[in-house]
C-alpha cells in the first residue's frame, strides 16, 4: 500500500500530526487512543478511493501536541481540537468517519458541530458506556474472554515491548473481535502498523463509566450512516440500533458475518453500502 503523507497542522489549540491520502471531498478519520504513522490505518484506508482522508493523531499521540492538563484528553476537548484542525485547513465542512471509540467521538462531534459536518459515518460505536449492561460485550466481567482481553490491553500499554512481541499481542487481541479469527492474515495483510497512547486510554477508562449521551442524539443534524457487525463483541449491535432509533434520519446497516471489523470482514459489502450512502448524499445535495 502507498504510504500516507505526513504534515503538522498548526492551530490555535496546538500542533497536530495529520496523515493524508486519497482524492475527493475531505473526510476526517481518527480513533480516541490510537497512534498512527505513515503506514496509515485499515479503517481509514477504506475511504481513500473516494475521499481525501485526513487521519489525525490526537493530543498526546505521535507528534501531536502534549496535554498540559488531564481534561485536555477528554472526548469533548478532543472535538474542539478537531474543529481547530478543520478551521486551519479552511474546510467549510468535512465528513467524519470513526470506528469504535473513533465513532464515539463522531457522535459528540455531530451533537456540537453538525454545521461543520457533511456527514457522519459511525462504525461499531455506542452512545453510552457499553460494557456494564451487556454480557455480550467482551469488556463485561461476565464475558468468557474478559480477563484475557484485559491482560492483553495492559501488556500493550507498556512501553519498550519488542516489536515482535507487540505484534503478537496485538494480533491475539484483534482475533478476539473477529467473526472468523482464522482469517486474520487475510484481513490484515498490509504493512500497516500503529500503537496505543497509554495516557489517552487511561483517561478514556476514567471517562467511560459516566459516558451516556443517548438523550442528546436528537441534536445531531448531519446525515448519519451507522455500520455494525451482527457479532460485535466490543460495541454490541444493540447500541447501534439505539443510535439509529434516536438520531433523526440515520441509516443503519448490519453486517451478518462480521464482528468488530466489517470494513475488513465484509469489505465488498462495506464498500457497496458506503457508495450507496455517498450517492444518496450527492443526490440530496443537487
Amino acid at each position: 500500500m502507498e504510504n500516507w503523507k505526513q504534515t503538522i497542522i498548526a492551530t490555535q489549540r496546538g500542533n497536530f500530526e495529520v496523515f493524508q491520502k486519497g482524492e475527493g471531498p475531505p473526510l476526517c478519520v481518527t480513533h480516541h487512543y490510537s497512534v498512527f504513522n505513515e503506514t496509515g490505518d485499515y479503517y481509514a484506508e477504506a475511504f481513500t478511493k473516494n475521499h481525501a482522508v485526513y487521519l489525525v493523531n490526537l493530543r498526546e499521540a505521535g507528534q501531536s501536541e502534549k496535554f498540559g492538563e488531564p481534561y485536555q484528553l477528554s472526548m469533548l476537548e478532543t472535538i474542539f481540537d478537531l474543529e481547530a484542525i478543520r478551521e486551519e485547513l479552511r474546510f467549510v465542512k468535512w465528513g467524519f468517519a470513526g470506528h469504535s471509540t473513533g465513532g464515539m467521538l463522531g457522535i459528540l462531534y455531530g451533537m456540537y458541530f453538525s454545521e461543520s459536518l457533511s456527514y457522519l459515518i459511525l462504525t461499531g460505536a455506542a452512545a453510552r458506556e457499553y460494557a456494564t449492561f451487556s454480557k455480550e460485550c467482551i469488556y463485561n466481567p461476565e464475558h468468557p474472554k474478559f480477563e484475557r482481553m484485559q491482560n492483553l490491553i495492559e501488556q500493550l500499554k507498556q512501553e519498550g515491548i519488542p516489536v515482535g512481541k507487540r505484534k503478537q499481542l496485538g494480533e491475539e487481541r484483534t482475533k478476539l473481535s473477529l467473526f472468523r479469527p482464522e482469517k486474520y492474515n487475510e484481513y490484515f495483510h498490509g504493512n500497516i502498523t500503529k500503537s496505543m497512547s497509554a495516557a489517552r486510554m487511561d483517561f478514556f477508562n476514567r471517562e467511560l463509566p459516566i459516558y451516556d449521551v443517548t438523550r442528546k442524539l436528537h441534536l445531531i443534524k448531519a446525515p448519519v450512516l451507522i455500520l455494525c457487525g451482527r457479532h460485535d463483541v466490543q460495541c454490541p449491535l444493540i447500541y447501534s440500533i439505539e443510535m439509529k432509533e434516536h438520531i433523526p434520519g440515520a441509516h443503519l446497516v448490519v453486517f451478518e458475518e462480521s464482528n468488530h471489523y466489517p470494513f475488513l470482514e465484509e469489505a465488498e459489502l462495506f464498500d457497496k453500502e458506503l457508495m450507496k450512502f455517498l450517492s444518496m448524499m450527492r443526490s440530496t445535495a443537487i
Side-chain angles (χ1 to χ4, degrees):
M1 292 182 182
E2 177 186 349
N3 276 0
W4 292 61
K5 180 182 178 182
Q6 185 244 33
T7 186
I8 302 295
I9 307 295
T11 78
Q12 292 182 345
R13 293 177 61 85
N15 299 333
F16 293 89
E17 185 178 32
V18 177
F19 298 92
Q20 196 273 322
K21 185 176 180 181
E23 296 182 359
L27 179 75
C28 175
V29 177
T30 193
H31 184 277
H32 196 42
Y33 46 80
S34 289
V35 181
F36 305 109
N37 56 56
E38 69 281 352
T39 65
D41 172 70
Y42 284 100
Y43 182 68
E45 191 72 37
F47 300 96
T48 57
K49 298 175 184 176
N50 35 49
H51 290 89
V53 180
Y54 293 82
L55 181 61
V56 179
N57 262 341
L58 301 174
R59 191 177 296 269
E60 199 65 32
Q63 295 184 40
S64 288
E65 197 76 17
K66 303 301 180 182
F67 73 94
E69 299 291 340
Y71 76 86
Q72 292 177 309
L73 299 179
S74 71
M75 286 186 271
L76 187 56
E77 284 292 317
T78 297
I79 300 309
F80 296 152
D81 289 342
L82 292 176
E83 263 296 271
I85 294 169
R86 179 193 63 81
E87 291 173 355
E88 189 60 35
L89 290 170
R90 302 194 178 188
F91 296 138
V92 176
K93 290 187 176 187
W94 60 358
F96 181 92
H99 173 231
S100 198
T101 62
M104 293 164 67
L105 291 175
I107 294 166
L108 288 174
Y109 206 165
M111 287 176 183
Y112 293 99
F113 295 103
S114 273
E115 69 278 4
S116 299
L117 297 169
S118 304
Y119 39 78
L120 275 171
I121 301 171
L122 311 173
T123 307
R128 60 188 169 103
E129 189 268 316
Y130 40 79
T132 301
F133 303 107
S134 176
K135 296 177 183 178
E136 296 177 351
C137 178
I138 199 167
Y139 301 116
N140 183 300
E142 293 190 38
H143 192 282
K145 297 182 180 178
F146 168 80
E147 290 188 8
R148 185 53 187 158
M149 173 63 89
Q150 292 303 307
N151 181 265
L152 289 168
I153 290 173
E154 289 305 312
Q155 290 186 70
L156 285 166
K157 283 164 58 177
Q158 297 173 15
E159 296 182 2
I161 300 177
V163 175
K165 180 64 174 178
R166 181 176 294 278
K167 182 178 179 181
Q168 177 187 342
L169 293 170
E171 179 177 333
E172 184 179 351
R173 177 174 180 258
T174 300
K175 282 182 175 180
L176 293 176
S177 301
L178 290 176
F179 182 57
R180 292 190 175 92
E182 69 275 9
K183 288 193 172 185
Y184 175 89
N185 290 329
E186 178 182 330
Y187 300 143
F188 296 90
H189 61 273
N191 185 32
I192 294 176
T193 59
K194 63 181 180 180
S195 57
M196 184 187 301
S197 167
R200 290 196 64 86
M201 188 169 194
D202 286 343
F203 193 90
F204 172 73
N205 285 334
R206 287 175 175 268
E207 193 174 21
L208 183 60
I210 59 170
Y211 169 71
D212 185 347
V213 294
T214 50
R215 293 187 180 184
K216 292 185 177 181
L217 288 173
H218 69 279
L219 298 176
I220 300 177
K221 303 304 180 185
V224 177
L225 174 63
I226 303 167
L227 307 162
C228 189
R230 172 73 67 184
H231 311 279
D232 196 323
V233 295
Q234 293 203 35
C235 292
L237 177 59
I238 55 172
Y239 298 106
S240 286
I241 294 173
E242 181 176 66
M243 288 192 292
K244 197 274 182 188
E245 292 174 346
H246 292 90
I247 300 175
H251 298 270
L252 170 64
V253 179
V254 179
F255 295 83
E256 298 294 336
E257 297 186 2
S258 289
N259 192 317
H260 195 53
Y261 298 90
F263 52 95
L264 296 175
E265 297 177 89
E266 295 181 77
E268 289 186 12
L269 180 57
F270 187 92
D271 287 346
K272 180 181 177 181
E273 294 296 342
L274 176 61
M275 292 304 297
K276 187 188 300 184
F277 177 74
L278 296 176
S279 177
M280 183 174 62
M281 291 301 96
R282 287 192 291 269
S283 63
T284 302
I286 294 175

